[in-house]
Amino acid sequence: MANYRIAPSILSANFAKLGEEITAVIDSGADIIHFDVMDNHYVPNLTIGPLVCEAIRPLTQAIIDVHLMVEPVDRIVPDFAKAGANIISFHPEASRHIDRTIGLIKEQGCKAGLVFNPATPLYYLDHVLDKLDLVLIMSVNPGFGGQKFIPEALEKLKAVRKRINATGKDIMLEIDGGVKVDNIAEIARAGADTFVAGSAIYGAGKDSDPHRYDSVVAALRSELAKA
Ligand code: DX5
Ligand code: ZN
């Protein structure tokens, strides 16, 4: 079985007890904390910034995967690096100089990812794929949790999987938006190896589970085992 990673999006967590929500989801077997940053400018919503990243950093050894939905991008990159982010991803439309932003993220000691909205063409990969550590395909329009998976993302994943394999490099292929127990296997078959899930995980907490999210993380993994 491929090495699949489950990345709960804390956008759907209970912010009144965010620390507990992070510890619980990792103790339930999730791999990565997906951290959605929205600015009410690039996307029509406003969420969390570097101070929150810094506050949660001591709670877990897990990778913190910062998804920047902000414009401009470069100003805020060093702040997230200092706050303990491991991966920083951005949308090409939000940066004037994509190659420079990738360089900046890496200079700051983080892994760099490029994010594709449903209508963003893959040609943005043409000259930079080799420099990336992660490609993130959006299967919803960015801005909100709990939206429906856009199925055209599957073809996009297949196309990116081919391009990544052709590089021979270890580049993560992440999917974000509308990922659930009932579609994760199909998404894995299309080539994704890292799965963001917000509402599907945080909406399925059970008081009877030892760490609240054990059942849903196990259900996602058992679907991945069938992929
Ligand atoms: C949307 C965010 C997602 C979001 C996913 O702009 O990037 O990470 O939290 O939420 P679900 O899994 O509920 O679609
Ligand atoms: Zn996200």
Side-chain angles (χ1 to χ4, degrees), residues 137-154:
I137 299 298
M138 293 301 300
S139 38
V140 296
N141 287 294
F144 304 93
Q147 302 181 81
K148 202 172 166 315
F149 185 85
I150 296 173
E152 285 76 12
L154 295 171

Side-chain angles (χ1 to χ4, degrees), residues 9 34-36 67 69 136 138 176 196:
S9 162
H34 185 79
F35 191 105
D36 286 307
H67 175 191
M69 290 161 272
L136 170 48
M138 293 301 300
D176 185 2
V196 176

Side-chain angles (χ1 to χ4, degrees), residues 66-210:
V66 172
H67 175 191
L68 293 180
M69 290 161 272
V70 303
E71 186 179 0
V73 179
D74 294 6
R75 223 298 295 138
I76 204 77
V77 164
D79 297 21
F80 273 103
K82 281 190 202 82
N86 302 98
I87 304 172
I88 300 178
S89 301
F90 68 99
H91 289 248
E93 301 90 341
S95 170
R96 286 280 176 92
H97 306 282
I98 295 164
D99 182 80
R100 176 179 286 152
T101 303
I102 294 168
L104 172 66
I105 293 169
K106 296 182 125 184
E107 272 166 32
Q108 294 288 317
C110 297
K111 292 190 170 182
L114 200 58
V115 191
F116 292 80
N117 285 335
T120 305
L122 292 178
Y123 62 64
Y124 281 110
L125 290 175
D126 287 355
H127 306 285
V128 297
L129 179 56
D130 274 13
K131 300 179 182 178
L132 293 172
D133 301 290
L134 177 146
V135 177
L136 170 48
I137 299 298
M138 293 301 300
S139 38
V140 296
N141 287 294
F144 304 93
Q147 302 181 81
K148 202 172 166 315
F149 185 85
I150 296 173
E152 285 76 12
L154 295 171
E155 289 309 312
K156 227 166 172 184
L157 281 174
K158 288 178 194 165
V160 180
R161 171 49 63 202
K162 277 192 198 142
R163 291 179 73 154
I164 289 177
N165 288 353
T167 68
K169 295 196 166 169
D170 185 16
I171 300 168
M172 295 160 74
L173 179 51
E174 185 172 49
I175 185 85
D176 185 2
V179 177
K180 313 265 174 229
V181 173
D182 63 13
N183 63 10
I184 196 168
E186 187 183 16
I187 297 167
R189 285 194 291 273
D193 55 29
T194 305
F195 305 84
V196 176
S199 51
I201 293 180
Y202 279 108
K206 280 191 191 166
D207 293 338
S208 54
D209 272 359

Side-chain angles (χ1 to χ4, degrees), residues 6-65:
I6 295 176
S9 162
I10 57 171
L11 186 61
S12 292
N14 179 347
F15 279 103
K17 44 177 187 175
L18 186 57
E20 282 169 48
E21 290 275 71
I22 285 166
T23 312
V25 89
I26 295 298
D27 290 348
S28 297
D31 303 290
I32 291 176
I33 295 299
H34 185 79
F35 191 105
D36 286 307
V37 184
M38 304 186 187
D39 67 349
N40 188 36
H41 172 71
Y42 178 66
V43 290
N45 199 358
L46 185 64
T47 61
I48 45 179
L51 287 174
V52 176
C53 186
E54 191 181 359
I56 66 167
R57 179 69 285 179
L59 303 180
T60 180
Q61 305 279 331
I63 287 172
I64 299 180
D65 165 32

